[in-house]
Amino acid sequence: MKNKKVLFIVQTAVIAAMYAALTYAQNLLLPGTTSAAVQFRVSEALNVLALFTPAAIPGLTIGCILSNIYNIGAGLPLDMIFGSLATLGATLSIYFLRNVKIKNYPFLSLLMPALWNGVIIGWEIETFFIEGPFNFGSFLLQGGLVALGELGVLFILGTILYYVFINRSLDKKLFKN
């Protein structure tokens, strides 16, 4: 595609669709695994795409919004807002840290989803779903559980996806400017 704006929009839409489809499929096959305190949302591995294209930032954020629409029926409309904000922060951080690597591995970038989701979703759970006043210890527990799931996804599935993209030059084939 010659028009960079059209290419950006297409990449954004495809990434959003992949994220939403993976999340819906996982929730259909393994109910609760995409919205529990310790979630292992397979679609979160797609955060790695923010290392290769800025289109992943709106794509993953929109995909998260679409995915979390399902959670509204489960009484979690706030997750659509806060989960999507966490994804936006994580993907922006990944993109800006994309060139920071430890032995050619984007370690800091892959930590970002755990950090953003741990803090924001941990706060959301503690503030809106735990009765009583805000408790910092409980917030650390809730945020830690969320971060644990994110770390598992990114350091297992995300790492595999990252190396597949690098070793097969998919980053250059799919996201070249």
Side-chain angles (χ1 to χ4, degrees):
M1 287 190 169
K2 300 251 184 211
N3 188 330
K4 288 186 179 194
K5 289 180 183 177
V6 172
L7 179 61
F8 184 87
I9 292 169
V10 169
Q11 288 175 348
T12 297
V14 169
I15 291 168
M18 287 188 323
Y19 186 99
L22 281 171
T23 305
Y24 283 133
Q26 179 182 345
N27 205 46
L28 184 67
L29 297 171
L30 302 165
T33 59
T34 65
S35 59
V38 180
Q39 54 184 260
F40 195 87
R41 197 180 269 198
V42 172
S43 53
E44 284 290 303
L46 295 176
N47 278 303
V48 168
L49 298 178
L51 291 166
F52 306 116
T53 178
I57 298 166
L60 292 165
T61 304
I62 293 166
C64 186
I65 291 168
L66 295 172
S67 297
N68 287 338
I69 285 174
Y70 172 83
N71 290 335
I72 290 176
L76 300 173
L78 295 172
D79 203 37
M80 190 172 77
I81 298 165
F82 294 112
S84 304
L85 287 174
T87 297
L88 177 61
T91 54
L92 281 167
S93 297
I94 290 169
Y95 184 75
F96 288 120
L97 290 170
R98 70 189 180 279
N99 295 320
V100 178
K101 296 187 176 142
I102 299 170
K103 295 186 179 185
N104 293 323
Y105 182 71
F107 181 78
L108 289 177
S109 293
L110 296 183
L111 281 177
M112 292 300 108
L115 177 69
W116 281 90
N117 282 285
V119 171
I120 292 176
I121 304 306
W123 171 83
E124 175 191 357
I125 292 169
E126 180 59 30
T127 302
F128 298 107
F129 299 106
I130 305 293
E131 291 187 25
F134 186 89
N135 180 298
F136 190 71
S138 179
F139 159 72
L140 289 176
L141 175 65
Q142 299 302 331
L145 291 172
V146 171
L148 185 64
E150 287 288 331
L151 287 172
V153 171
L154 269 297
F155 285 119
I156 297 170
L157 300 178
T159 296
I160 292 168
L161 186 60
Y162 172 75
Y163 281 117
V164 166
F165 264 71
I166 296 297
N167 292 337
R168 297 184 184 256
S169 299
L170 294 175
D171 55 327
K172 292 171 183 58
K173 292 175 186 172
L174 296 174
F175 303 120
K176 63 182 174 186
N177 294 330

